[in-house]
Amino acid sequence: MSRHSGLAERVGTPLYVYDLDRLEAARRDLFAALPDGFDVFYALKANPHPEIARALREGDGPACRAEVSSAGELSAALEAGFPADECLYTGPGKTGPELRGAIARGVRLFSVESLGDLRHIGAAATAAKVVTRCLLRINSAHAEATSSIRMTGVPTQFGIDAETLPDVLPRLREVAGTRIVGAHFFPLSNAADEDSLIAAFENTLAVAAGLRRDHGLPLELLDIGGGFAVPYGTPGRRAAYPKLKSALRDALDRHFPDPTDRPRLACESGRYLVGDSGSLHCSVVNIKESRGRTFVILDAGINTFGGMSGLGRLLPVAVEPQSQDGDDPAGPPRPAAQTASLVGPLCTPGDVLGRRVELPDLAEGDLVTVPNAGAYGPTASLLGFLGRPAPAEALVRGEELVSLTRLEQRRVDESGPL
């Protein structure tokens, strides 16, 4: 049984449980791995629950800032208490209405993906009679990390190709309602190891320093991106980065040797901050055999833990080893008794959470736990498919239940003449 099995039995499943103590430990660990003076933007796309975001802003130690990419995420950030003028608004498809709304609510810092994107920001700012601060997102020509999810060095909707910046920078500087104050990089996601992460960050610092030196790119603020890793939906621990702080200090000394002329540094993280704080508890609905294969059917599927499933999410999800000693997490794990596919309740063969998963001996009604499920959970899933209710989300601190919520979808009837 898992630590939160009693809560799952009381509330029902599927149930996400987010442990605020783990959340705050991740924040402490990330700030401790970085040189002093770094800003950390929390990417709300990983988990926009306002209480999750609030916990990353409050409490002991340095506070995170918010990175948002939609009006909904901005609302969650503001509800969590983040000042609007300290939020970073990102994304390649910012529309006129959302830009006007964000500026009206006080957002002044934007990441820019292209000249057209900057012009849209400028038009909204000019209409509001304000000037926005803008970071140019740079798509570097080369990517250092080859074993992680590459986010740069390839044709993409994200960022301005670095080789084109000398030609486009004069036009970028001329856009009314905007002031270029720095650069934004995001070279990789979920780095395979610490060396990959360090190589990516060192390359980013070198590219940024070269663009400033050779082409006059303003660098008041430099966001070097993320890539901090944590397992997703499988047992394991958050990555540790014992070499990162000294490696970044050395790279800054090489590329920005004058501390008085050094940009303010920032990075961003979503999954690392929240991933291991969450667990998904679900119930076994049925177990069946089909042509020599076993299928364990759960009440949670890709509508509950889709995690970018429609975008080719990597399988398999695995369950947390169950203890033989009740709720004692130190008890010996129950050995695997079978290999089966974990599938959900939806009427589609695509509703598969994991294939060839090693499982204990399970029966109908048993609870199983998917660990490291704090990032890319309900809001990254197919919540509306087949009209099933969203899973409940519980926040706990120690043995205290802090809040219990559930997302709801509602149709808005605005019938009338066209």
Side-chain angles (χ1 to χ4, degrees), residues 151-209:
M151 300 288 287
T152 192
V154 296
T156 175
Q157 69 268 44
F158 298 109
I160 300 165
D161 295 341
E163 63 272 21
T164 70
L165 190 61
D167 293 331
V168 75
L169 187 56
R171 286 179 286 166
L172 291 165
R173 288 179 177 273
E174 295 172 353
V175 177
T178 69
R179 183 170 71 88
I180 298 171
V181 298
H184 177 198
F185 291 76
F186 203 97
L188 79 169
S189 179
N190 209 31
D193 50 53
E194 186 175 25
D195 289 341
S196 295
L197 186 67
I198 289 172
F201 284 162
E202 288 180 338
N203 181 64
T204 290
L205 292 171
V207 170

Side-chain angles (χ1 to χ4, degrees), residues 80-401:
F82 288 93
D85 62 353
E86 293 184 5
C87 294
L88 172 62
Y89 204 111
T90 69
K94 309 176 193 74
T95 66
E98 71 176 292
L99 285 170
R100 292 190 292 273
I103 289 171
R105 300 174 83 174
V107 177
R108 294 294 182 268
L109 182 63
F110 292 86
S111 176
V112 176
E113 310 281 0
S114 64
L115 177 58
D117 188 30
L118 184 64
R119 286 172 173 164
H120 295 156
I121 296 168
T126 300
K129 298 180 179 180
V130 301
V131 175
T132 54
R133 307 187 309 278
C134 296
L135 306 180
L136 301 183
R137 181 162 176 175
I138 306 297
N139 179 18
S140 299
H142 304 286
E144 289 297 310
T146 58
S147 57
S148 306
I149 302 174
R150 288 175 53 180
M151 300 288 287
T152 192
V154 296
T156 175
Q157 69 268 44
F158 298 109
I160 300 165
D161 295 341
E163 63 272 21
T164 70
L165 190 61
D167 293 331
V168 75
L169 187 56
R171 286 179 286 166
L172 291 165
R173 288 179 177 273
E174 295 172 353
V175 177
T178 69
R179 183 170 71 88
I180 298 171
V181 298
H184 177 198
F185 291 76
F186 203 97
L188 79 169
S189 179
N190 209 31
D193 50 53
E194 186 175 25
D195 289 341
S196 295
L197 186 67
I198 289 172
F201 284 162
E202 288 180 338
N203 181 64
T204 290
L205 292 171
V207 170
L211 290 173
R212 184 173 77 164
R213 179 187 64 247
D214 298 336
H215 306 293
L217 175 65
L219 276 186
E220 298 174 25
L221 174 63
L222 174 58
D223 183 344
I224 63 174
F228 309 100
V230 67
Y232 177 61
T234 59
R237 296 182 180 275
R238 274 187 293 110
Y241 298 106
K243 300 182 293 184
L244 180 60
K245 179 181 289 189
S246 62
L248 283 174
R249 284 174 175 164
D250 291 345
L252 286 168
D253 288 340
R254 286 196 307 275
H255 300 297
F256 299 95
D258 182 358
T260 65
D261 192 34
R262 188 173 288 175
R264 185 168 184 86
L265 277 297
C267 63
E268 56 198 83
S269 176
R271 75 177 79 219
Y272 186 85
L273 288 168
V274 300
D276 82 338
S277 72
S279 53
L280 170 61
H281 304 264
C282 37
S283 299
V284 177
V285 175
N286 193 14
I287 299 175
K288 65 162 290 187
E289 302 289 331
S290 176
R291 294 177 176 157
R293 291 179 57 191
T294 302
F295 292 83
V296 175
I297 303 170
L298 306 175
D299 59 359
I302 57 175
N303 62 318
T304 300
F305 193 56
M308 313 299 187
S309 59
L311 307 179
R313 178 182 54 78
L314 300 178
L315 295 171
V317 164
V319 301
E320 198 166 48
Q322 302 294 296
S323 170
Q324 293 177 321
D325 294 339
D327 286 331
D328 179 9
R334 193 188 309 173
Q338 60 180 322
T339 300
S341 292
L342 284 175
V343 301
L346 306 182
C347 294
T348 170
D351 190 17
V352 179
L353 292 181
R355 297 186 178 94
R356 296 179 292 279
V357 178
E358 293 187 353
L359 299 169
D361 188 20
L362 295 172
E364 290 183 19
D366 281 352
L367 288 171
V368 297
T369 300
V370 178
N372 292 315
Y376 301 112
T379 56
S381 304
L382 305 178
L383 278 179
F385 189 43
L386 290 183
R388 287 181 174 268
E393 296 176 278
L395 276 75
V396 300
R397 187 184 298 279
E399 299 304 315
E400 178 188 359
L401 175 63

